[in-house]
């Protein structure tokens, strides 16, 4: 990602100097999306000349920005577009990054997830979601058509258990104190 950040800095400098053409600004927008700098992408769209907003790819990149802003799955949207050769590798990396981040969030939220829910969250078919989960050491249960995340090892799992135990003790204490007249 350091290479992307460096490229963004160079493209921003070109834009400030007024030498950034449509292709460079499309690349800049795509890289903002890859870095999850949605505010910068929105501001780039707002300050862009009207003629640039008429360029199909720039407008589609902004539509993608809106989907990311709304925390919507983007995989189908991105794969259904015909990207220019300079944007395609960025979009491929964006999908990978989106799916990895989604999987991390899901593993923090769920110990078991249905295949159709995982597929919807990742924006892929159930078969691809299954292979995606298995590649990350999740276990497939064909009876319930679900995936179970691997056990959390180390201190993180223990810290969560301790926090849950402390929260339970506080709730029990509050309930007992509310029952007393």
């Amino acid at each position: 990602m350091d290479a992307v950040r460096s490229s963004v800095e160079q493209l921003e400098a070109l834009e400030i100097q007024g030498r950034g053409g449509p292709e460079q600004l499309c690349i800049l927008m795509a890289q903002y999306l890859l870095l999850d700098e949605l505010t910068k992408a929105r501001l780039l769209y707002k300050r862009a000349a009207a003629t640039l907003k008429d360029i199909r790819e720039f407008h589609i990149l902004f539509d993608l920005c809106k989907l990311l802003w709304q925390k919507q799955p983007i995989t189908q949207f991105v794969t259904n577009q015909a990207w220019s050769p300079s944007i395609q590798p960025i979009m491929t990396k964006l999908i990978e990054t989106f799916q990895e981040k989604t999987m991390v969030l899901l593993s923090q939220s769920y110990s078991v997830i249905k295949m159709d829910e995982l597929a919807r969250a990742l924006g892929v078919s159930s078969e691809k979601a299954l292979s995606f989960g298995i590649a990350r050491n999740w276990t497939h249960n064909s009876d319930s058509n679900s995936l179970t995340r691997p056990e959390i090892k180390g201190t993180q799992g223990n810290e969560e258990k301790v926090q849950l135990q402390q929260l339970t003790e506080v709730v029990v204490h509050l309930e007992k104190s509310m029952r007393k007249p």
Side-chain angles (χ1 to χ4, degrees):
M1 287 296 196
D2 289 337
V4 175
R5 290 185 200 289
S6 175
S7 176
V8 163
E9 289 173 7
Q10 292 171 357
L11 291 169
E12 287 173 338
L14 284 175
E15 182 193 8
I16 289 170
Q17 296 167 4
R19 297 185 314 166
E23 182 180 3
Q24 288 80 16
L25 293 178
C26 284
I27 293 170
L28 181 58
M29 172 78 82
Q31 289 178 339
Y32 280 153
L33 299 179
L34 178 59
L35 294 173
D36 201 28
E37 294 187 5
L38 303 180
T39 302
K40 288 184 177 183
R42 289 178 69 207
L43 292 173
L44 174 61
Y45 186 80
K46 284 186 176 189
R47 71 178 175 265
T51 55
L52 183 59
K53 291 179 184 177
D54 291 337
I55 295 174
R56 180 184 168 280
E57 192 166 56
F58 191 74
H59 188 73
I60 291 171
L61 285 166
F62 185 65
D63 288 343
L64 178 57
C65 177
K66 290 188 272 187
L67 287 174
L68 289 166
W69 192 272
Q70 297 166 355
K71 307 286 186 208
Q72 299 294 317
I74 60 164
T75 305
Q76 291 299 320
F77 180 85
V78 172
T79 55
N80 289 336
Q81 305 303 323
W83 300 104
S84 66
S86 58
I87 300 295
Q88 182 61 50
I90 300 169
M91 292 298 105
T92 301
K93 184 67 176 167
L94 179 64
I95 289 173
E96 292 170 6
T97 303
F98 170 79
Q99 290 175 338
E100 286 297 331
K101 284 181 182 179
T102 301
M103 202 66 184
V104 167
L105 289 173
L106 291 173
S107 68
Q108 292 172 349
S109 304
Y110 297 95
S111 57
V112 178
I113 188 167
K114 295 278 189 185
M115 287 304 305
D116 59 340
E117 292 176 27
L118 178 61
R120 187 174 37 257
L122 295 174
V124 297
S125 67
S126 292
E127 294 80 23
K128 285 186 180 179
L130 175 61
S131 63
F132 196 83
I134 289 174
R136 281 143 190 88
N137 299 322
W138 287 55
T139 308
H140 182 245
N141 181 337
S142 56
D143 294 336
S144 63
N145 197 26
S146 61
L147 285 173
T148 304
R149 78 167 181 222
E151 283 295 316
I152 299 174
K153 295 180 181 175
T155 59
Q156 182 182 3
N158 292 335
E159 289 174 11
E160 290 175 0
K161 288 178 184 176
V162 169
Q163 288 176 349
L164 183 59
Q165 181 62 36
Q166 290 172 343
L167 179 61
T168 303
E169 291 171 4
V170 168
V171 170
V172 168
H173 173 73
L174 291 173
E175 286 179 349
K176 284 181 181 178
S177 65
M178 291 178 67
R179 289 184 188 159
K180 294 180 182 178

